[in-house]
Amino acid sequence: MDVSEEKIEVIKQTAERIRKDCLWMSTRAGTGHLGPALSLAEILATLYIGILKLDPQNPRWSDRDRLILSKGHGCLALYSILSQVGFFERRHLKDFCSRFDTVLPGHPEMKLPGVEANTGSLGHGIAIGMGMALAAHLDKKEYKVFVVTGDGELQEGSNWEAAMAAAHYKLYNLVVVVDRNRLQLGDFTENISRLEPLAEKWSSFGWGVKVVDGHDVRELLLAFEEIPFVKNQPSVVIANTIKGKGLKIAENKVEWHYKVLTRKQYEDLKNELALEELCDE
């Protein structure tokens, strides 16, 4: 596939907007999983701008592609991209964790247009996505189902039960994207419960596998356009990323799993990172 430079530039700008939104939303709220959201920027921007078949004006369109953010704690990035492509007005980003009944809580819920499943309890997204992909086969629909997982999340056994079943049912319309930033809540993944060789594990479960740079838009586009990687098999994209990407003080730092900038830190970085925030009006 010939990927145009113009398309790549639009996606890069969208990813930059995601990061800026994540920073001001979390600083404003004084809470949020900032590190896990920042590593997702290019993955989500590429999918929503370049790949997914969607209609933001008709969020429940039956032929739409589905995306499940299984690592629901990365929802800052999801909220940003959903607002950018028109699922809701960007002014609502100010409501992130602002009150008990907000439609933008600390983990995504289906009350927000564009959210396909409530996630937060880890290890369930692939099974949910498998069910949706199987439903497409039964209903003779052509939509694809994308599930974005964290790598630490893959230590949950339910993922591998779903992976085995998806291969059994030849769900070639199911795609898992692993945000492989190598960090989880308390340490590096390989110190807690070793995942490598991760690509070989997926292959042994009957999945087509590609390993890419999760911050390289061109690589991501080319990989997603090749799906399914193997005929009649589900596909997994292992996207190597940097946790906290774009915020130097947070990159590859375990403590930034659940940590946000102070207001002073935000103000100090505002000019350097060209940060912008929505007005209260």
Side-chain angles (χ1 to χ4, degrees):
M1 182 190 74
D2 183 23
V3 179
S4 73
E5 294 303 320
E6 181 179 2
K7 187 175 189 178
I8 289 173
E9 186 57 32
V10 169
I11 294 172
K12 286 181 177 179
Q13 290 176 5
T14 303
E16 182 179 356
R17 176 75 273 165
I18 288 174
R19 289 198 170 92
K20 289 180 179 180
D21 284 349
C22 288
L23 288 170
W24 77 257
M25 288 166 64
S26 59
T27 302
R28 177 189 177 91
T31 189
H33 292 78
L34 186 56
L38 294 176
S39 62
L40 283 172
E42 284 81 12
I43 294 170
L44 293 183
T46 300
L47 286 169
Y48 277 91
I49 300 299
I51 300 297
L52 297 176
K53 180 177 62 177
L54 299 167
D55 181 1
Q57 302 308 309
N58 183 13
R60 309 309 295 178
W61 175 40
S62 62
D63 291 323
R64 73 192 182 280
D65 290 333
R66 277 76 165 160
L67 185 142
I68 298 167
L69 182 63
S70 190
K71 51 168 285 184
H73 52 287
C75 62
L76 283 161
L78 179 65
Y79 296 156
S80 172
I81 191 62
L82 289 178
S83 75
Q84 289 191 66
V85 299
F87 278 96
F88 60 90
E89 294 182 21
R90 283 182 54 75
R91 62 185 175 87
H92 292 302
L93 292 177
K94 296 181 294 184
D95 295 333
F96 173 69
C97 287
S98 62
R99 58 183 187 274
F100 180 75
D101 62 346
T102 179
V103 295
L104 276 74
H107 292 82
E109 298 179 12
M110 291 177 66
K111 58 187 176 182
L112 183 71
V115 174
E116 296 287 352
N118 293 6
T119 56
S121 180
L122 297 177
H124 302 296
I126 299 176
I128 296 170
M130 185 205 71
M132 291 179 176
L134 182 57
H137 282 222
L138 295 173
D139 293 339
K140 295 180 170 52
K141 295 282 190 179
E142 296 298 322
Y143 63 78
K144 293 184 177 70
V145 182
F146 293 79
V147 181
V148 180
T149 73
D151 46 6
E153 179 180 8
L154 294 181
Q155 293 161 0
E156 298 276 2
S158 51
N159 293 298
W160 300 103
E161 293 180 47
M164 183 169 57
H168 173 78
Y169 288 110
K170 300 179 180 179
L171 300 182
Y172 56 83
N173 59 332
L174 178 62
V175 185
V176 167
V177 185
V178 180
D179 180 13
R180 185 70 169 115
N181 60 39
R182 291 175 168 74
L183 277 166
Q184 57 190 99
L185 174 63
D187 202 346
F188 288 91
T189 58
E190 305 309 282
N191 292 338
I192 291 180
S193 183
R194 190 174 67 249
L195 291 172
E196 295 298 340
L198 187 56
E200 288 82 352
K201 282 187 172 73
W202 280 100
S203 181
S204 73
F205 271 72
W207 287 57
V209 184
K210 279 199 178 294
V211 181
V212 301
D213 179 343
H215 300 305
D216 187 314
V217 171
R218 184 185 300 275
E219 277 194 40
L220 287 165
L221 277 172
L222 289 172
F224 291 137
E225 288 288 354
E226 287 182 35
I227 290 164
F229 302 140
V230 180
K231 185 178 180 180
N232 291 329
Q233 289 186 11
S235 302
V236 59
V237 177
I238 299 174
N240 290 313
T241 62
I242 297 171
K243 195 162 188 173
K245 173 72 172 176
L247 182 62
K248 294 300 183 184
I249 60 173
E251 289 187 353
N252 280 324
K253 300 288 178 56
V254 65
E255 62 268 25
W256 281 87
H257 180 83
Y258 187 68
K259 183 177 180 179
V260 299
L261 293 169
T262 64
R263 174 52 68 173
K264 182 179 186 307
Q265 286 174 317
Y266 181 89
E267 293 298 332
D268 288 345
L269 290 167
K270 196 169 185 177
N271 291 333
E272 177 186 340
L273 300 180
L275 298 177
E276 306 163 5
E277 48 190 305
L278 297 177
C279 297
D280 286 324
E281 299 174 1

